[in-house]
């Protein structure tokens, strides 16, 4: 049995032939249709494939953590994707879209002010991942940032963006228990809180 090489990916973008790309819809977000072929693991090329893709862009998210009080800052807001689910109001970490002239760290610092009214100190990157690469282009950078949790309170958000965001300050232990209990339904929040559970002792020493 042939062993796979897990060190490096077998294929890259060079192994895809994009036949056409058509914009189907252009609004707050956009929808595009790709026609493409790609190399096959067993050799040769695939038949022509047609897929619609939700063009979401590049985003960044941050979990504010106070290493002194061992608390995290969580936000709560209504989300259109959950409108017809059990609760449209989702518990999340702060996040925002990265504009072409911005860096991810700039975005999470700005969003922390806009969404939670807090200033972020030191920052550590957790990971980058595709939340739903089967049909969405979004790439999300995830961070944990140092904060003074005593400064976090109230309701925030930008009126012209229709934001109504409530701030919660809870213990790290409680937040992780909410992950275990399934109260968080947002991937970036779950990833950041699990990472914090593994790295909180180090952050307390460093921060």
């Amino acid at each position: 049995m042939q062993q796979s090489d897990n060190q490096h990916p077998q294929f890259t973008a060079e192994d895809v032939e994009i036949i056409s790309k058509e914009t189907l819809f252009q609004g707050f977000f956009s929808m595009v249709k790709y026609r493409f072929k790609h190399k096959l693991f067993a050799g040769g090329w695939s038949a022509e494939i047609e897929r619609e893709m939700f063009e979401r862009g590049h985003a960044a998210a941050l979990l504010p953590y106070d290493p002194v009080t061992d608390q995290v800052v969580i936000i709560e807001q209504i989300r259109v994707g959950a409108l017809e689910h059990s609760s449209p109001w989702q518990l999340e970490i702060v996040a925002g879209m990265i504009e072409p002239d911005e860096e991810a760290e700039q975005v999470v610092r700005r969003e922390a002010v806009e969404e939670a009214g807090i200033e972020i100190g030191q920052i550590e990157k957790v990971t980058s991942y595709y939340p739903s690469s089967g049909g969405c282009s979004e790439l999300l950078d995830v961070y944990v940032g140092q904060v003074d949790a005593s400064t976090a309170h109230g309701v925030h958000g930008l009126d012209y963006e229709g934001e109504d965001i409530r701030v919660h300050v809870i213990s790290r232990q409680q937040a992780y228990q909410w992950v275990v209990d399934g109260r968080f339904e947002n991937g970036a929040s779950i990833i950041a809180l699990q990472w914090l559970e593994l790295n909180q002792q180090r952050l307390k020493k460093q921060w």
Side-chain angles (χ1 to χ4, degrees), residues 15-29:
D15 300 302
V16 177
E17 178 191 345
I18 298 176
I19 299 167
S20 66
K21 179 181 177 182
E22 176 188 1
T23 300
L24 302 178
F25 173 79
Q26 180 68 58
F28 187 73
F29 298 115

Side-chain angles (χ1 to χ4, degrees), residues 61-75:
L62 177 137
L63 170 64
Y65 174 58
D66 188 330
V68 177
T69 63
D70 202 23
Q71 293 175 307
V72 296
V73 178
I74 301 297
I75 61 173

Side-chain angles (χ1 to χ4, degrees), residues 41-152:
F41 292 120
W45 285 78
S46 71
E48 183 178 308
I49 298 170
E50 187 175 286
R51 292 285 186 274
E52 290 81 27
M53 187 191 73
F54 180 42
E55 184 64 66
R56 184 73 165 78
H58 192 173
L62 177 137
L63 170 64
Y65 174 58
D66 188 330
V68 177
T69 63
D70 202 23
Q71 293 175 307
V72 296
V73 178
I74 301 297
I75 61 173
E76 180 183 5
Q77 61 182 318
I78 193 168
R79 287 304 203 185
V80 66
L83 280 183
E84 298 189 54
H85 296 175
S86 58
S87 176
W89 280 263
Q90 297 283 295
L91 294 171
E92 301 175 345
I93 59 179
V94 299
M97 301 302 298
I98 302 174
E99 299 299 331
D101 60 343
E102 287 185 307
E103 298 293 332
E105 287 195 19
Q106 291 177 296
V107 172
V108 291
R109 289 183 185 278
R110 183 192 72 226
E111 293 294 333
V113 174
E114 292 178 1
E115 296 188 338
I118 53 177
E119 297 285 346
I120 300 298
Q122 297 184 67
I123 285 181
E124 186 160 335
K125 187 171 183 180
V126 174
T127 191
S128 296
Y129 77 104
Y130 289 96
S132 186
S133 60
C136 180
S137 67
E138 181 179 25
L139 179 64
L140 186 60
D141 295 333
V142 183
Y143 297 85
V144 171
Q146 180 188 32
V147 71
D148 176 357
S150 68
T151 65

Side-chain angles (χ1 to χ4, degrees), residues 23-37:
T23 300
L24 302 178
F25 173 79
Q26 180 68 58
F28 187 73
F29 298 115
S30 62
M31 181 73 72
V32 300
K33 179 186 284 187
Y34 279 100
R35 291 171 55 237
F36 65 97
K37 296 180 180 180

